[in-house]
Amino acid sequence: MERTFVAIKPDGIQRGLVGEVISRLERRGLKLVAIRLMIVDEGLARRHYAEHVERPFFPSLVDFITSGPIVAMIWESDNAVALARQTIGATNPAEATPGTIRADLGIDTGRNIVHGSDSPESAEREIGLFFEPGHALDYVRSNDPWLRES
Ligand code: IDP
Ligand code: MG
């Protein structure tokens, strides 16, 4: 089992898309194991997006991600990182595949609704930034045998 970090960004909250985003990941088959409604401060924003610090869009990205509440989540499944990224879609909603969250719900890279970790290593790092150790729950979902053969 793999875990990934997914966050609904401030635009997703303001546009009332929390249920829609969670619903799509649930229907795909990923399991929600941690969730937190929170405000990201500048320090956390800079750490989370550290890889982009030299990019021209970095200041506006930090302003945006700190501009209102986000929903931070941990989702679990086999290949959770890749499955979540696939369901989320490409960074630019205008280039994302129809059927993905970003393509179906957005039009602009700077307002692309949701974040998903890009590798298992990133997922571990990001989960550590947003959640205390042991915060994620281990629980059995009764429909798992209908979702996975073994
Ligand atoms: P990702 O979210 O698909 O992993 P990254 O390249 O890691 O994409 O970029 C992180 C976030 O930074 C994007 O989701 C988007 O919000 C923002 N971003 C990336 N590239 C641009 C850009 O060219 N203009 C404005 N914002 C950008
Ligand atoms: Mg990224």
Side-chain angles (χ1 to χ4, degrees):
M1 277 297 165
E2 190 171 89
R3 285 178 172 174
T4 190
F5 176 72
V6 175
I8 305 172
K9 300 182 186 184
D11 54 336
I13 309 271
Q14 297 298 327
R15 294 177 56 206
L17 297 174
V18 172
E20 173 79 29
V21 170
I22 290 177
S23 181
R24 284 175 179 234
L25 293 166
E26 277 184 316
R27 275 154 45 209
R28 182 78 196 267
L30 283 87
K31 181 163 83 172
L32 182 64
V33 296
I35 183 164
R36 187 179 166 205
L37 180 69
M38 61 183 286
I39 303 274
V40 176
D41 66 24
E42 189 186 332
L44 178 56
R46 296 181 69 90
R47 286 198 296 284
H48 175 62
Y49 282 125
E51 65 175 313
H52 299 304
V53 69
E54 304 295 343
R55 309 283 283 278
F57 60 81
F58 185 75
S60 58
L61 178 59
V62 170
D63 282 351
F64 166 57
I65 208 72
T66 58
S67 66
I70 68 150
V71 176
M73 299 173 285
I74 306 173
W75 289 85
E76 186 179 279
S77 73
D78 293 328
N79 301 313
V81 169
L83 291 186
R85 292 275 290 190
Q86 191 182 51
T87 295
I88 290 166
T91 306
N92 182 350
E95 291 168 4
T97 305
T100 62
I101 293 169
R102 284 169 169 168
D104 291 353
L105 306 174
I107 53 174
D108 183 62
T109 303
R111 298 287 184 270
N112 62 6
I113 306 149
V114 56
H115 166 85
S117 305
D118 64 8
S119 68
E121 296 71 32
S122 299
E124 201 176 313
R125 188 184 78 84
E126 292 168 359
I127 286 169
L129 287 176
F130 286 84
F131 291 94
E132 299 294 332
H135 188 104
L137 294 187
D138 221 353
Y139 65 96
V140 174
R141 219 169 31 175
S142 59
N143 68 353
D144 276 346
W146 300 104
L147 200 57
R148 303 171 68 245
E149 189 176 7
S150 57

